[in-house]
mmCIF file of all heavy atoms in Angstrom:
data_model
loop_
_atom_site.group_PDB
_atom_site.id
_atom_site.type_symbol
_atom_site.label_atom_id
_atom_site.label_comp_id
_atom_site.label_asym_id
_atom_site.label_seq_id
_atom_site.Cartn_x
_atom_site.Cartn_y
_atom_site.Cartn_z
ATOM 1 N N MET V 1 98.036 126.124 87.435
ATOM 2 C CA MET V 1 96.966 127.109 87.501
ATOM 3 C C MET V 1 95.862 126.790 86.492
ATOM 4 O O MET V 1 94.704 127.103 86.730
ATOM 5 C CB MET V 1 97.571 128.488 87.250
ATOM 6 C CG MET V 1 96.742 129.617 87.766
ATOM 7 S SD MET V 1 96.584 129.471 89.553
ATOM 8 C CE MET V 1 95.469 130.761 89.856
ATOM 9 N N ASP V 2 96.247 126.168 85.365
ATOM 10 C CA ASP V 2 95.233 125.800 84.374
ATOM 11 C C ASP V 2 94.246 124.776 84.919
ATOM 12 O O ASP V 2 93.074 124.770 84.544
ATOM 13 C CB ASP V 2 95.897 125.235 83.112
ATOM 14 C CG ASP V 2 96.603 126.300 82.299
ATOM 15 O OD1 ASP V 2 96.233 127.487 82.458
ATOM 16 O OD2 ASP V 2 97.519 125.958 81.521
ATOM 17 N N THR V 3 94.725 123.938 85.833
ATOM 18 C CA THR V 3 93.837 122.945 86.429
ATOM 19 C C THR V 3 92.728 123.621 87.228
ATOM 20 O O THR V 3 91.569 123.217 87.166
ATOM 21 C CB THR V 3 94.631 122.009 87.361
ATOM 22 O OG1 THR V 3 95.686 121.411 86.617
ATOM 23 C CG2 THR V 3 93.746 120.933 87.934
ATOM 24 N N LEU V 4 93.064 124.664 87.961
ATOM 25 C CA LEU V 4 92.053 125.381 88.748
ATOM 26 C C LEU V 4 91.126 126.201 87.863
ATOM 27 O O LEU V 4 89.954 126.365 88.178
ATOM 28 C CB LEU V 4 92.735 126.285 89.779
ATOM 29 C CG LEU V 4 93.506 125.569 90.878
ATOM 30 C CD1 LEU V 4 94.193 126.589 91.780
ATOM 31 C CD2 LEU V 4 92.610 124.677 91.689
ATOM 32 N N ALA V 5 91.646 126.723 86.755
ATOM 33 C CA ALA V 5 90.824 127.546 85.866
ATOM 34 C C ALA V 5 89.832 126.701 85.076
ATOM 35 O O ALA V 5 88.742 127.159 84.748
ATOM 36 C CB ALA V 5 91.720 128.322 84.903
ATOM 37 N N MET V 6 90.185 125.459 84.769
ATOM 38 C CA MET V 6 89.312 124.520 84.066
ATOM 39 C C MET V 6 88.749 125.107 82.775
ATOM 40 O O MET V 6 87.537 125.049 82.522
ATOM 41 C CB MET V 6 88.191 124.025 84.967
ATOM 42 C CG MET V 6 88.656 123.214 86.117
ATOM 43 S SD MET V 6 87.263 122.571 87.027
ATOM 44 C CE MET V 6 88.112 121.684 88.287
ATOM 45 N N GLY V 7 89.593 125.697 81.988
ATOM 46 C CA GLY V 7 89.155 126.218 80.701
ATOM 47 C C GLY V 7 88.143 127.334 80.834
ATOM 48 O O GLY V 7 87.117 127.343 80.161
ATOM 49 N N ASN V 8 88.385 128.266 81.712
ATOM 50 C CA ASN V 8 87.524 129.426 81.970
ATOM 51 C C ASN V 8 86.181 129.072 82.634
ATOM 52 O O ASN V 8 85.304 129.909 82.738
ATOM 53 C CB ASN V 8 87.270 130.234 80.689
ATOM 54 C CG ASN V 8 88.531 130.876 80.178
ATOM 55 O OD1 ASN V 8 89.423 131.202 80.952
ATOM 56 N ND2 ASN V 8 88.622 131.041 78.866
ATOM 57 N N TYR V 9 86.001 127.814 83.032
ATOM 58 C CA TYR V 9 84.801 127.418 83.763
ATOM 59 C C TYR V 9 85.097 127.213 85.244
ATOM 60 O O TYR V 9 84.236 126.771 85.989
ATOM 61 C CB TYR V 9 84.224 126.125 83.186
ATOM 62 C CG TYR V 9 83.682 126.280 81.787
ATOM 63 C CD1 TYR V 9 84.393 125.800 80.697
ATOM 64 C CD2 TYR V 9 82.475 126.922 81.567
ATOM 65 C CE1 TYR V 9 83.916 125.941 79.408
ATOM 66 C CE2 TYR V 9 81.980 127.074 80.289
ATOM 67 C CZ TYR V 9 82.704 126.580 79.211
ATOM 68 O OH TYR V 9 82.210 126.732 77.954
ATOM 69 N N GLY V 10 86.291 127.530 85.656
ATOM 70 C CA GLY V 10 86.719 127.291 87.023
ATOM 71 C C GLY V 10 85.860 127.982 88.064
ATOM 72 O O GLY V 10 85.517 127.393 89.095
ATOM 73 N N VAL V 11 85.484 129.227 87.799
ATOM 74 C CA VAL V 11 84.665 129.965 88.771
ATOM 75 C C VAL V 11 83.333 129.259 88.983
ATOM 76 O O VAL V 11 82.874 129.075 90.113
ATOM 77 C CB VAL V 11 84.437 131.426 88.297
ATOM 78 C CG1 VAL V 11 83.470 132.145 89.207
ATOM 79 C CG2 VAL V 11 85.760 132.168 88.237
ATOM 80 N N TYR V 12 82.715 128.824 87.889
ATOM 81 C CA TYR V 12 81.433 128.121 87.983
ATOM 82 C C TYR V 12 81.600 126.786 88.715
ATOM 83 O O TYR V 12 80.839 126.465 89.627
ATOM 84 C CB TYR V 12 80.865 127.892 86.580
ATOM 85 C CG TYR V 12 79.667 126.984 86.559
ATOM 86 C CD1 TYR V 12 78.430 127.425 87.006
ATOM 87 C CD2 TYR V 12 79.772 125.660 86.129
ATOM 88 C CE1 TYR V 12 77.327 126.599 87.011
ATOM 89 C CE2 TYR V 12 78.683 124.823 86.128
ATOM 90 C CZ TYR V 12 77.466 125.291 86.565
ATOM 91 O OH TYR V 12 76.375 124.465 86.575
ATOM 92 N N VAL V 13 82.596 126.014 88.312
ATOM 93 C CA VAL V 13 82.805 124.684 88.887
ATOM 94 C C VAL V 13 83.124 124.781 90.367
ATOM 95 O O VAL V 13 82.512 124.088 91.195
ATOM 96 C CB VAL V 13 83.921 123.933 88.136
ATOM 97 C CG1 VAL V 13 84.297 122.647 88.847
ATOM 98 C CG2 VAL V 13 83.510 123.653 86.696
ATOM 99 N N TRP V 14 84.073 125.637 90.741
ATOM 100 C CA TRP V 14 84.475 125.721 92.146
ATOM 101 C C TRP V 14 83.395 126.346 93.014
ATOM 102 O O TRP V 14 83.237 125.974 94.179
ATOM 103 C CB TRP V 14 85.804 126.457 92.287
ATOM 104 C CG TRP V 14 86.920 125.645 91.709
ATOM 105 C CD1 TRP V 14 87.658 125.935 90.613
ATOM 106 C CD2 TRP V 14 87.388 124.371 92.173
ATOM 107 N NE1 TRP V 14 88.564 124.936 90.365
ATOM 108 C CE2 TRP V 14 88.425 123.955 91.303
ATOM 109 C CE3 TRP V 14 87.040 123.540 93.226
ATOM 110 C CZ2 TRP V 14 89.099 122.755 91.469
ATOM 111 C CZ3 TRP V 14 87.722 122.337 93.392
ATOM 112 C CH2 TRP V 14 88.736 121.958 92.522
ATOM 113 N N SER V 15 82.607 127.258 92.459
ATOM 114 C CA SER V 15 81.499 127.810 93.253
ATOM 115 C C SER V 15 80.430 126.745 93.476
ATOM 116 O O SER V 15 79.815 126.692 94.546
ATOM 117 C CB SER V 15 80.911 129.050 92.586
ATOM 118 O OG SER V 15 80.328 128.724 91.341
ATOM 119 N N CYS V 16 80.209 125.869 92.509
ATOM 120 C CA CYS V 16 79.262 124.764 92.697
ATOM 121 C C CYS V 16 79.757 123.799 93.769
ATOM 122 O O CYS V 16 78.976 123.334 94.604
ATOM 123 C CB CYS V 16 79.031 124.026 91.385
ATOM 124 S SG CYS V 16 78.055 124.960 90.197
ATOM 125 N N PHE V 17 81.053 123.489 93.724
ATOM 126 C CA PHE V 17 81.625 122.641 94.768
ATOM 127 C C PHE V 17 81.467 123.283 96.144
ATOM 128 O O PHE V 17 81.092 122.627 97.111
ATOM 129 C CB PHE V 17 83.113 122.374 94.516
ATOM 130 C CG PHE V 17 83.373 121.220 93.591
ATOM 131 C CD1 PHE V 17 84.082 121.416 92.424
ATOM 132 C CD2 PHE V 17 82.933 119.946 93.894
ATOM 133 C CE1 PHE V 17 84.342 120.362 91.572
ATOM 134 C CE2 PHE V 17 83.179 118.878 93.052
ATOM 135 C CZ PHE V 17 83.884 119.091 91.884
ATOM 136 N N ALA V 18 81.752 124.561 96.232
ATOM 137 C CA ALA V 18 81.646 125.264 97.514
ATOM 138 C C ALA V 18 80.206 125.282 98.011
ATOM 139 O O ALA V 18 79.949 125.029 99.199
ATOM 140 C CB ALA V 18 82.184 126.684 97.375
ATOM 141 N N LEU V 19 79.264 125.574 97.129
ATOM 142 C CA LEU V 19 77.854 125.603 97.521
ATOM 143 C C LEU V 19 77.389 124.224 97.973
ATOM 144 O O LEU V 19 76.680 124.098 98.980
ATOM 145 C CB LEU V 19 76.987 126.097 96.360
ATOM 146 C CG LEU V 19 75.499 126.218 96.640
ATOM 147 C CD1 LEU V 19 75.247 127.187 97.791
ATOM 148 C CD2 LEU V 19 74.766 126.667 95.393
ATOM 149 N N THR V 20 77.797 123.188 97.266
ATOM 150 C CA THR V 20 77.437 121.826 97.654
ATOM 151 C C THR V 20 77.998 121.486 99.025
ATOM 152 O O THR V 20 77.295 120.921 99.878
ATOM 153 C CB THR V 20 77.949 120.819 96.605
ATOM 154 O OG1 THR V 20 77.377 121.150 95.338
ATOM 155 C CG2 THR V 20 77.585 119.400 96.985
ATOM 156 N N LEU V 21 79.240 121.842 99.260
ATOM 157 C CA LEU V 21 79.856 121.584 100.557
ATOM 158 C C LEU V 21 79.119 122.331 101.671
ATOM 159 O O LEU V 21 78.850 121.768 102.738
ATOM 160 C CB LEU V 21 81.325 121.988 100.540
ATOM 161 C CG LEU V 21 82.088 121.761 101.844
ATOM 162 C CD1 LEU V 21 82.163 120.281 102.165
ATOM 163 C CD2 LEU V 21 83.465 122.371 101.761
ATOM 164 N N ILE V 22 78.762 123.575 101.420
ATOM 165 C CA ILE V 22 78.029 124.367 102.415
ATOM 166 C C ILE V 22 76.685 123.722 102.731
ATOM 167 O O ILE V 22 76.286 123.608 103.893
ATOM 168 C CB ILE V 22 77.856 125.823 101.931
ATOM 169 C CG1 ILE V 22 79.204 126.534 101.953
ATOM 170 C CG2 ILE V 22 76.826 126.565 102.768
ATOM 171 C CD1 ILE V 22 79.212 127.873 101.249
ATOM 172 N N VAL V 23 75.966 123.270 101.704
ATOM 173 C CA VAL V 23 74.654 122.638 101.915
ATOM 174 C C VAL V 23 74.805 121.342 102.710
ATOM 175 O O VAL V 23 74.027 121.077 103.634
ATOM 176 C CB VAL V 23 73.948 122.381 100.566
ATOM 177 C CG1 VAL V 23 72.741 121.483 100.732
ATOM 178 C CG2 VAL V 23 73.544 123.701 99.927
ATOM 179 N N ILE V 24 75.817 120.545 102.378
ATOM 180 C CA ILE V 24 76.022 119.282 103.091
ATOM 181 C C ILE V 24 76.383 119.532 104.553
ATOM 182 O O ILE V 24 75.833 118.898 105.459
ATOM 183 C CB ILE V 24 77.103 118.434 102.389
ATOM 184 C CG1 ILE V 24 76.557 117.899 101.074
ATOM 185 C CG2 ILE V 24 77.576 117.292 103.283
ATOM 186 C CD1 ILE V 24 77.590 117.228 100.204
ATOM 187 N N VAL V 25 77.278 120.476 104.799
ATOM 188 C CA VAL V 25 77.676 120.779 106.175
ATOM 189 C C VAL V 25 76.492 121.335 106.963
ATOM 190 O O VAL V 25 76.247 120.934 108.110
ATOM 191 C CB VAL V 25 78.869 121.766 106.196
ATOM 192 C CG1 VAL V 25 79.108 122.319 107.584
ATOM 193 C CG2 VAL V 25 80.116 121.085 105.671
ATOM 194 N N PHE V 26 75.716 122.227 106.359
ATOM 195 C CA PHE V 26 74.553 122.797 107.038
ATOM 196 C C PHE V 26 73.512 121.718 107.344
ATOM 197 O O PHE V 26 72.952 121.682 108.444
ATOM 198 C CB PHE V 26 73.928 123.914 106.187
ATOM 199 C CG PHE V 26 72.716 124.532 106.811
ATOM 200 C CD1 PHE V 26 72.845 125.410 107.871
ATOM 201 C CD2 PHE V 26 71.447 124.224 106.350
ATOM 202 C CE1 PHE V 26 71.736 125.986 108.470
ATOM 203 C CE2 PHE V 26 70.329 124.796 106.933
ATOM 204 C CZ PHE V 26 70.463 125.673 107.993
ATOM 205 N N SER V 27 73.264 120.839 106.382
ATOM 206 C CA SER V 27 72.288 119.761 106.592
ATOM 207 C C SER V 27 72.730 118.835 107.716
ATOM 208 O O SER V 27 71.909 118.432 108.555
ATOM 209 C CB SER V 27 72.096 118.963 105.311
ATOM 210 O OG SER V 27 71.524 119.763 104.312
ATOM 211 N N ASP V 28 74.000 118.496 107.741
ATOM 212 C CA ASP V 28 74.523 117.638 108.796
ATOM 213 C C ASP V 28 74.411 118.319 110.151
ATOM 214 O O ASP V 28 73.986 117.691 111.131
ATOM 215 C CB ASP V 28 75.980 117.278 108.499
ATOM 216 C CG ASP V 28 76.547 116.331 109.526
ATOM 217 O OD1 ASP V 28 76.020 115.208 109.647
ATOM 218 O OD2 ASP V 28 77.514 116.727 110.215
ATOM 219 N N TRP V 29 74.748 119.592 110.197
ATOM 220 C CA TRP V 29 74.663 120.345 111.454
ATOM 221 C C TRP V 29 73.221 120.395 111.969
ATOM 222 O O TRP V 29 72.967 120.170 113.151
ATOM 223 C CB TRP V 29 75.208 121.753 111.237
ATOM 224 C CG TRP V 29 75.035 122.642 112.417
ATOM 225 C CD1 TRP V 29 75.708 122.600 113.599
ATOM 226 C CD2 TRP V 29 74.095 123.715 112.546
ATOM 227 N NE1 TRP V 29 75.253 123.584 114.440
ATOM 228 C CE2 TRP V 29 74.263 124.286 113.816
ATOM 229 C CE3 TRP V 29 73.137 124.252 111.680
ATOM 230 C CZ2 TRP V 29 73.491 125.346 114.240
ATOM 231 C CZ3 TRP V 29 72.378 125.313 112.119
ATOM 232 C CH2 TRP V 29 72.562 125.843 113.395
ATOM 233 N N ARG V 30 72.264 120.667 111.059
ATOM 234 C CA ARG V 30 70.858 120.739 111.470
ATOM 235 C C ARG V 30 70.343 119.381 111.935
ATOM 236 O O ARG V 30 69.591 119.282 112.902
ATOM 237 C CB ARG V 30 69.980 121.254 110.319
ATOM 238 C CG ARG V 30 70.164 122.713 110.010
ATOM 239 C CD ARG V 30 69.676 123.617 111.122
ATOM 240 N NE ARG V 30 68.274 123.387 111.363
ATOM 241 C CZ ARG V 30 67.679 123.470 112.549
ATOM 242 N NH1 ARG V 30 68.362 123.806 113.613
ATOM 243 N NH2 ARG V 30 66.403 123.231 112.696
ATOM 244 N N ALA V 31 70.745 118.313 111.246
ATOM 245 C CA ALA V 31 70.304 116.973 111.637
ATOM 246 C C ALA V 31 70.839 116.616 113.021
ATOM 247 O O ALA V 31 70.115 116.063 113.855
ATOM 248 C CB ALA V 31 70.760 115.948 110.607
ATOM 249 N N ARG V 32 72.109 116.941 113.266
ATOM 250 C CA ARG V 32 72.688 116.665 114.586
ATOM 251 C C ARG V 32 72.008 117.498 115.670
ATOM 252 O O ARG V 32 71.740 117.004 116.769
ATOM 253 C CB ARG V 32 74.182 116.943 114.582
ATOM 254 C CG ARG V 32 74.969 115.929 113.803
ATOM 255 C CD ARG V 32 76.443 116.332 113.736
ATOM 256 N NE ARG V 32 77.170 115.528 112.791
ATOM 257 C CZ ARG V 32 77.888 114.462 113.139
ATOM 258 N NH1 ARG V 32 77.971 114.107 114.401
ATOM 259 N NH2 ARG V 32 78.511 113.775 112.217
ATOM 260 N N ALA V 33 71.720 118.754 115.377
ATOM 261 C CA ALA V 33 71.046 119.619 116.350
ATOM 262 C C ALA V 33 69.646 119.086 116.660
ATOM 263 O O ALA V 33 69.227 119.050 117.824
ATOM 264 C CB ALA V 33 70.972 121.048 115.827
ATOM 265 N N HIS V 34 68.931 118.646 115.630
ATOM 266 C CA HIS V 34 67.589 118.106 115.835
ATOM 267 C C HIS V 34 67.654 116.808 116.638
ATOM 268 O O HIS V 34 66.856 116.593 117.549
ATOM 269 C CB HIS V 34 66.904 117.862 114.486
ATOM 270 C CG HIS V 34 65.513 117.336 114.613
ATOM 271 N ND1 HIS V 34 64.476 118.100 115.085
ATOM 272 C CD2 HIS V 34 65.004 116.113 114.361
ATOM 273 C CE1 HIS V 34 63.375 117.363 115.114
ATOM 274 N NE2 HIS V 34 63.676 116.149 114.678
ATOM 275 N N HIS V 35 68.613 115.962 116.314
ATOM 276 C CA HIS V 35 68.791 114.710 117.046
ATOM 277 C C HIS V 35 69.057 114.990 118.526
ATOM 278 O O HIS V 35 68.460 114.351 119.399
ATOM 279 C CB HIS V 35 69.940 113.909 116.441
ATOM 280 C CG HIS V 35 70.322 112.711 117.243
ATOM 281 N ND1 HIS V 35 69.608 111.543 117.208
ATOM 282 C CD2 HIS V 35 71.334 112.504 118.124
ATOM 283 C CE1 HIS V 35 70.161 110.673 118.025
ATOM 284 N NE2 HIS V 35 71.214 111.225 118.584
ATOM 285 N N ASN V 36 69.942 115.929 118.799
ATOM 286 C CA ASN V 36 70.263 116.261 120.195
ATOM 287 C C ASN V 36 69.048 116.827 120.915
ATOM 288 O O ASN V 36 68.825 116.519 122.091
ATOM 289 C CB ASN V 36 71.424 117.252 120.246
ATOM 290 C CG ASN V 36 72.735 116.611 119.854
ATOM 291 O OD1 ASN V 36 72.882 115.395 119.933
ATOM 292 N ND2 ASN V 36 73.675 117.422 119.410
ATOM 293 N N GLN V 37 68.242 117.624 120.235
ATOM 294 C CA GLN V 37 67.041 118.190 120.852
ATOM 295 C C GLN V 37 66.043 117.085 121.181
ATOM 296 O O GLN V 37 65.461 117.069 122.267
ATOM 297 C CB GLN V 37 66.394 119.229 119.922
ATOM 298 C CG GLN V 37 65.130 119.844 120.476
ATOM 299 C CD GLN V 37 65.379 120.619 121.758
ATOM 300 O OE1 GLN V 37 66.396 121.279 121.881
ATOM 301 N NE2 GLN V 37 64.472 120.537 122.692
ATOM 302 N N VAL V 38 65.839 116.160 120.270
ATOM 303 C CA VAL V 38 64.925 115.042 120.511
ATOM 304 C C VAL V 38 65.442 114.191 121.669
ATOM 305 O O VAL V 38 64.671 113.783 122.547
ATOM 306 C CB VAL V 38 64.740 114.201 119.228
ATOM 307 C CG1 VAL V 38 64.022 112.897 119.518
ATOM 308 C CG2 VAL V 38 64.002 114.995 118.171
ATOM 309 N N TYR V 39 66.736 113.932 121.698
ATOM 310 C CA TYR V 39 67.332 113.136 122.766
ATOM 311 C C TYR V 39 67.125 113.813 124.122
ATOM 312 O O TYR V 39 66.747 113.159 125.102
ATOM 313 C CB TYR V 39 68.816 112.935 122.476
ATOM 314 C CG TYR V 39 69.497 111.986 123.420
ATOM 315 C CD1 TYR V 39 69.339 110.615 123.294
ATOM 316 C CD2 TYR V 39 70.307 112.470 124.445
ATOM 317 C CE1 TYR V 39 69.965 109.740 124.158
ATOM 318 C CE2 TYR V 39 70.937 111.603 125.313
ATOM 319 C CZ TYR V 39 70.764 110.244 125.170
ATOM 320 O OH TYR V 39 71.382 109.388 126.032
ATOM 321 N N ARG V 40 67.361 115.143 124.179
ATOM 322 C CA ARG V 40 67.156 115.876 125.432
ATOM 323 C C ARG V 40 65.687 115.833 125.855
ATOM 324 O O ARG V 40 65.373 115.671 127.034
ATOM 325 C CB ARG V 40 67.614 117.330 125.286
ATOM 326 C CG ARG V 40 69.097 117.479 125.521
ATOM 327 C CD ARG V 40 69.503 118.947 125.524
ATOM 328 N NE ARG V 40 70.319 119.124 124.323
ATOM 329 C CZ ARG V 40 70.068 119.934 123.324
ATOM 330 N NH1 ARG V 40 69.026 120.722 123.367
ATOM 331 N NH2 ARG V 40 70.860 120.000 122.286
ATOM 332 N N ASP V 41 64.781 115.958 124.887
ATOM 333 C CA ASP V 41 63.350 115.917 125.183
ATOM 334 C C ASP V 41 62.963 114.544 125.741
ATOM 335 O O ASP V 41 62.174 114.452 126.689
ATOM 336 C CB ASP V 41 62.551 116.229 123.917
ATOM 337 C CG ASP V 41 61.065 116.345 124.186
ATOM 338 O OD1 ASP V 41 60.689 117.013 125.172
ATOM 339 O OD2 ASP V 41 60.282 115.759 123.407
ATOM 340 N N MET V 42 63.532 113.495 125.162
ATOM 341 C CA MET V 42 63.252 112.149 125.662
ATOM 342 C C MET V 42 63.767 111.986 127.088
ATOM 343 O O MET V 42 63.086 111.383 127.928
ATOM 344 C CB MET V 42 63.892 111.103 124.749
ATOM 345 C CG MET V 42 63.198 110.945 123.427
ATOM 346 S SD MET V 42 64.075 109.918 122.242
ATOM 347 C CE MET V 42 64.412 108.446 123.158
ATOM 348 N N GLU V 43 64.940 112.517 127.365
ATOM 349 C CA GLU V 43 65.488 112.426 128.724
ATOM 350 C C GLU V 43 64.576 113.129 129.726
ATOM 351 O O GLU V 43 64.327 112.612 130.817
ATOM 352 C CB GLU V 43 66.876 113.042 128.782
ATOM 353 C CG GLU V 43 67.954 112.194 128.175
ATOM 354 C CD GLU V 43 69.324 112.850 128.259
ATOM 355 O OE1 GLU V 43 69.398 114.093 128.247
ATOM 356 O OE2 GLU V 43 70.311 112.100 128.341
ATOM 357 N N VAL V 44 64.077 114.295 129.357
ATOM 358 C CA VAL V 44 63.183 115.050 130.248
ATOM 359 C C VAL V 44 61.899 114.273 130.483
ATOM 360 O O VAL V 44 61.417 114.178 131.619
ATOM 361 C CB VAL V 44 62.893 116.449 129.652
ATOM 362 C CG1 VAL V 44 61.758 117.126 130.383
ATOM 363 C CG2 VAL V 44 64.150 117.300 129.674
ATOM 364 N N ARG V 45 61.345 113.700 129.420
ATOM 365 C CA ARG V 45 60.097 112.941 129.573
ATOM 366 C C ARG V 45 60.298 111.690 130.424
ATOM 367 O O ARG V 45 59.452 111.351 131.252
ATOM 368 C CB ARG V 45 59.546 112.563 128.201
ATOM 369 C CG ARG V 45 59.005 113.741 127.444
ATOM 370 C CD ARG V 45 58.547 113.333 126.072
ATOM 371 N NE ARG V 45 58.175 114.490 125.291
ATOM 372 C CZ ARG V 45 57.107 114.534 124.518
ATOM 373 N NH1 ARG V 45 56.319 113.499 124.411
ATOM 374 N NH2 ARG V 45 56.845 115.620 123.837
ATOM 375 N N ILE V 46 61.401 110.994 130.227
ATOM 376 C CA ILE V 46 61.673 109.797 131.024
ATOM 377 C C ILE V 46 61.858 110.178 132.483
ATOM 378 O O ILE V 46 61.331 109.520 133.388
ATOM 379 C CB ILE V 46 62.906 109.050 130.479
ATOM 380 C CG1 ILE V 46 62.572 108.408 129.138
ATOM 381 C CG2 ILE V 46 63.402 108.010 131.474
ATOM 382 C CD1 ILE V 46 63.767 107.849 128.401
ATOM 383 N N LYS V 47 62.587 111.253 132.743
ATOM 384 C CA LYS V 47 62.783 111.720 134.128
ATOM 385 C C LYS V 47 61.439 112.087 134.754
ATOM 386 O O LYS V 47 61.193 111.766 135.907
ATOM 387 C CB LYS V 47 63.723 112.910 134.162
ATOM 388 C CG LYS V 47 63.948 113.484 135.540
ATOM 389 C CD LYS V 47 65.412 113.652 135.811
ATOM 390 C CE LYS V 47 65.657 114.319 137.137
ATOM 391 N NZ LYS V 47 65.308 113.497 138.278
ATOM 392 N N ALA V 48 60.572 112.757 133.987
ATOM 393 C CA ALA V 48 59.247 113.122 134.520
ATOM 394 C C ALA V 48 58.426 111.882 134.853
ATOM 395 O O ALA V 48 57.728 111.854 135.863
ATOM 396 C CB ALA V 48 58.516 114.000 133.520
ATOM 397 N N LEU V 49 58.504 110.856 134.011
ATOM 398 C CA LEU V 49 57.783 109.628 134.293
ATOM 399 C C LEU V 49 58.340 108.931 135.523
ATOM 400 O O LEU V 49 57.577 108.377 136.332
ATOM 401 C CB LEU V 49 57.853 108.686 133.081
ATOM 402 C CG LEU V 49 56.990 109.064 131.896
ATOM 403 C CD1 LEU V 49 57.295 108.143 130.714
ATOM 404 C CD2 LEU V 49 55.516 108.987 132.248
ATOM 405 N N GLU V 50 59.642 108.937 135.664
ATOM 406 C CA GLU V 50 60.254 108.313 136.838
ATOM 407 C C GLU V 50 59.884 109.053 138.120
ATOM 408 O O GLU V 50 59.665 108.436 139.155
ATOM 409 C CB GLU V 50 61.765 108.258 136.689
ATOM 410 C CG GLU V 50 62.243 107.276 135.651
ATOM 411 C CD GLU V 50 63.727 107.367 135.395
ATOM 412 O OE1 GLU V 50 64.378 108.330 135.876
ATOM 413 O OE2 GLU V 50 64.262 106.482 134.692
ATOM 414 N N ASP V 51 59.798 110.373 138.041
ATOM 415 C CA ASP V 51 59.451 111.162 139.230
ATOM 416 C C ASP V 51 57.986 110.950 139.638
ATOM 417 O O ASP V 51 57.658 111.100 140.804
ATOM 418 C CB ASP V 51 59.708 112.643 138.955
ATOM 419 C CG ASP V 51 61.202 112.961 138.893
ATOM 420 O OD1 ASP V 51 62.017 112.110 139.323
ATOM 421 O OD2 ASP V 51 61.549 114.051 138.388
ATOM 422 N N ARG V 52 57.130 110.634 138.675
ATOM 423 C CA ARG V 52 55.719 110.431 138.994
ATOM 424 C C ARG V 52 55.477 109.105 139.723
ATOM 425 O O ARG V 52 54.509 108.958 140.430
ATOM 426 C CB ARG V 52 54.866 110.427 137.722
ATOM 427 C CG ARG V 52 54.475 111.798 137.275
ATOM 428 C CD ARG V 52 53.293 111.813 136.373
ATOM 429 N NE ARG V 52 53.353 110.811 135.301
ATOM 430 C CZ ARG V 52 52.520 110.781 134.284
ATOM 431 N NH1 ARG V 52 51.576 111.669 134.181
ATOM 432 N NH2 ARG V 52 52.630 109.860 133.364
ATOM 433 N N GLN V 53 56.373 108.175 139.532
ATOM 434 C CA GLN V 53 56.154 106.845 140.141
ATOM 435 C C GLN V 53 56.626 106.782 141.537
ATOM 436 O O GLN V 53 57.203 107.236 142.266
ATOM 437 C CB GLN V 53 56.846 105.777 139.317
ATOM 438 C CG GLN V 53 56.214 105.633 137.974
ATOM 439 C CD GLN V 53 56.939 104.592 137.115
ATOM 440 O OE1 GLN V 53 57.921 104.009 137.533
ATOM 441 N NE2 GLN V 53 56.430 104.370 135.934
#
């Protein structure tokens, strides 16, 4: 239990780890969502160009 408490700094340390993990997961999720949106937009544009020809 002393390892988790880290000399009474455990709350600060573990909350920083948790916040960092949340930011990394959120950033990854947003990047993937943006990538998928761009990919879908490209597919629509390519299909529109193919239909015009």
Side-chain angles (χ1 to χ4, degrees):
M1 201 62 186
D2 288 338
T3 303
L4 294 177
M6 295 185 180
N8 294 330
Y9 293 104
V11 174
Y12 171 74
V13 171
W14 292 113
S15 64
C16 288
F17 275 121
L19 182 59
T20 301
L21 180 64
I22 290 169
V23 168
I24 289 171
V25 168
F26 179 75
S27 295
D28 183 62
W29 174 72
R30 289 293 301 146
R32 288 175 191 263
H34 181 70
H35 172 79
N36 289 338
Q37 179 63 38
V38 169
Y39 187 77
R40 276 186 248 120
D41 186 46
M42 287 171 52
E43 285 180 330
V44 168
R45 289 177 187 222
I46 290 170
K47 178 130 176 69
L49 286 173
E50 289 173 349
D51 288 346
R52 275 201 314 190
Q53 293 178 359

